């Protein structure tokens, strides 16, 4: 079964608990019913929507391309991928939010995005149940671009292993980053979400980075001094940080500023124009974020080597330099 008209693929079957599973049109995506009653997912316009590809939520390679293998092993769950702990932390925050605001739909909402065949979808459903993940929305693109679906879900962040799709999302103004499978991953908090960001080219524009690349470090410092009272323009992930801040304030309003389950960090080598700065891996190793975003592979690779789940934001001048 393969669609060529941009619609999602539909399939149905039985999951590991004997409940029915289904893949439907992306506008109506639902997860199979489960034996216990769970809260309904929020409307996309009210939620902080995180779209995650199946290849980063679970370790699906190398056998993912073999349909016969997937059908024969549909009851064997995939192991957790690099985005798994991040998604679990989102669910932990949702639990706290529902306790404080039972009627509110201002929650994290995870959408699983995949190009895989519908029969692989059955194994994905079984895997989600096995790991007790609360994912109610699925989007199977049939190999087509996910951009239309991401916009329909009002996506605040898109995580994928496909760098071309990440670039396409960024070009459409959707916060996005490329995730990589890594051998080493540090243990992270199960109750507190920790998200770390680079500055230039991630939260902020790469204006200063362009000055440094074109004219050197002295001109960079001159530019910084001349514009020290002028805020930098926004970068591709500024909106996602703002969405996190909005949920943080809901905890602050309940007097939980010190006990807030959302922590955000700015980790930058800005004093030496990021590309010349010290490695960020050692600092991130102490922070132990669930996810770290940087526009330079040097820092992404360095963080990953020390066990931090690091994502690449292919944005701005750093990408042009890297291609040379």
């Amino acid at each position: 079964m393969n669609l060529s008209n941009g619609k999602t693929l539909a399939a149905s079957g039985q999951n590991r608990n004997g409940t029915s599973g289904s893949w439907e049109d992306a506008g109506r995506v639902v997860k199979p019913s489960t034996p216990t009653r769970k809260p309904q997912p929020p409307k996309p316009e009210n939620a902080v929507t995180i779209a995650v590809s199946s290849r980063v939520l679970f370790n699906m390679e190398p056998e993912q391309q073999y349909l016969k293998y997937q059908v024969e092993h549909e009851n064997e769950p995939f192991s957790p991928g690099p985005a798994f702990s991040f998604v679990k932390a989102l669910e932990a925050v949702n639990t706290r939010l529902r306790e404080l605001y039972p009627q509110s739909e201002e929650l994290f909402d995870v959408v699983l995005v995949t190009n895989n065949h519908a029969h692989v979808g059955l194994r994905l459903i079984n895997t989600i149940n096995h790991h007790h993940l609360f994912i109610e929305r699925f989007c199977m693109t049939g190999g087509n671009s996910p951009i239309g679906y991401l916009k329909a879900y009002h996506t605040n962040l898109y995580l994928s292993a496909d760098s071309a799709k990440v670039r396409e999302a960024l070009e459409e103004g959707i916060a996005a980053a490329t995730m990589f499978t890594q051998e080493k991953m540090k243990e992270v908090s199960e109750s507190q979400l920790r998200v770390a960001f680079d500055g230039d080219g991630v939260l902020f524009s790469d204006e200063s980075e362009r000055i440094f690349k074109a004219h050197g470090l002295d001109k960079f410092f001159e530019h910084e001094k001349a514009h020290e009272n002028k805020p930098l323009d926004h970068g591709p992930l500024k909106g996602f940080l703002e969405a996190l801040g909005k949920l943080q304030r809901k905890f602050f309003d309940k007097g939980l500023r010190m006990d807030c389950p959302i922590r955000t960090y700015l980790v930058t080598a800005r004093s030496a124009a990021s590309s010349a700065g010290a490695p960020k891996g050692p600092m991130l190793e102490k922070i132990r974020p669930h996810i770290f975003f940087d526009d330079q592979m040097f820092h992404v690779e360095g963080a990953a080597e020390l066990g931090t789940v690091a994502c690449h934001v292919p944005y701005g001048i750093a990408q042009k330099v890297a291609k040379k």
Side-chain angles (χ1 to χ4, degrees), residues 19 28 74 124 140 166 181 189 208 239 260 284 287 299 323:
T19 55
R28 307 172 38 244
E74 67 179 34
L124 284 170
M140 181 170 279
V166 167
T181 300
S189 173
S208 297
C260 179
L284 291 166
I287 295 173
H299 292 300
K323 291 179 180 179

Side-chain angles (χ1 to χ4, degrees), residues 8 23 38 51 54 67 95-96 98-99 116 119 131 143 149 165 190 202 209 217 269 292:
T8 52
W23 292 88
K38 291 184 177 181
S54 57
L67 176 58
T95 298
R96 295 282 304 277
R98 287 191 172 101
E99 291 171 353
N116 283 294
H119 287 86
H131 292 294
Y149 306 125
K165 290 179 180 176
E190 296 182 357
V202 176
E209 189 77 10
L217 197 57
F292 167 61

Side-chain angles (χ1 to χ4, degrees), residues 26-43:
R28 307 172 38 244
V29 285
V30 294
K31 188 189 171 194
S33 59
T34 52
T36 57
R37 181 179 178 84
K38 291 184 177 181
Q40 291 296 312
K43 295 181 178 65

Side-chain angles (χ1 to χ4, degrees), residues 36-226:
T36 57
R37 181 179 178 84
K38 291 184 177 181
Q40 291 296 312
K43 295 181 178 65
E45 59 268 26
N46 298 330
V48 176
T49 300
I50 313 296
V52 183
S53 81
S54 57
R55 287 175 55 201
V56 299
L57 184 57
F58 305 118
N59 287 323
M60 300 179 64
E61 297 177 340
E63 72 269 16
Q64 66 168 346
Q65 56 188 309
Y66 301 108
L67 176 58
K68 182 180 178 181
Y69 182 95
Q70 300 302 337
V71 173
E72 293 175 349
H73 296 78
E74 67 179 34
N75 291 318
E76 296 179 15
F78 293 111
S79 62
F84 186 87
S85 294
F86 174 60
V87 169
K88 291 292 286 185
L90 299 178
E91 293 184 350
V93 173
N94 276 355
T95 298
R96 295 282 304 277
L97 284 168
R98 287 191 172 101
E99 291 171 353
L100 296 172
Y101 301 92
Q103 304 304 317
S104 176
E105 287 194 332
E106 291 182 317
L107 303 161
F108 290 112
D109 187 23
V110 178
V111 177
L112 184 65
V113 181
T114 180
N115 288 328
N116 283 294
H117 193 281
H119 287 86
V120 182
L122 297 179
R123 191 177 179 195
L124 284 170
I125 288 173
N126 293 338
T127 300
I128 287 169
N129 285 336
H130 172 82
H131 292 294
H132 305 291
L133 294 174
F134 182 55
I135 298 177
E136 297 289 323
R137 305 189 198 274
F138 296 79
C139 179
M140 181 170 279
T141 67
N144 294 292
S145 169
I147 298 302
Y149 306 125
L150 298 178
K151 288 183 175 179
Y153 286 121
H154 304 274
T155 300
N156 297 92
L157 177 67
Y158 172 50
L159 300 174
S160 174
D162 189 328
S163 59
K165 290 179 180 176
V166 167
R167 291 177 187 276
E168 184 182 1
L170 288 171
E171 290 172 358
E172 293 294 325
I174 299 169
T178 308
M179 296 193 86
F180 308 92
T181 300
Q182 55 192 75
E183 296 181 1
K184 182 179 180 181
M185 287 188 286
K186 289 283 189 182
E187 289 187 8
V188 290
S189 173
E190 296 182 357
S191 60
Q192 185 182 77
L193 171 66
R194 299 177 184 177
V195 184
F197 301 88
D198 176 38
D200 293 320
V202 176
L203 291 182
F204 317 124
S205 76
D206 65 338
E207 168 191 340
S208 297
E209 189 77 10
R210 292 197 303 269
I211 297 294
F212 170 72
K213 296 295 185 184
H215 305 290
L217 197 57
D218 289 342
K219 288 294 184 181
F220 165 80
F221 285 126
E222 288 180 15
H223 177 268
E224 294 296 284
K225 181 65 175 178

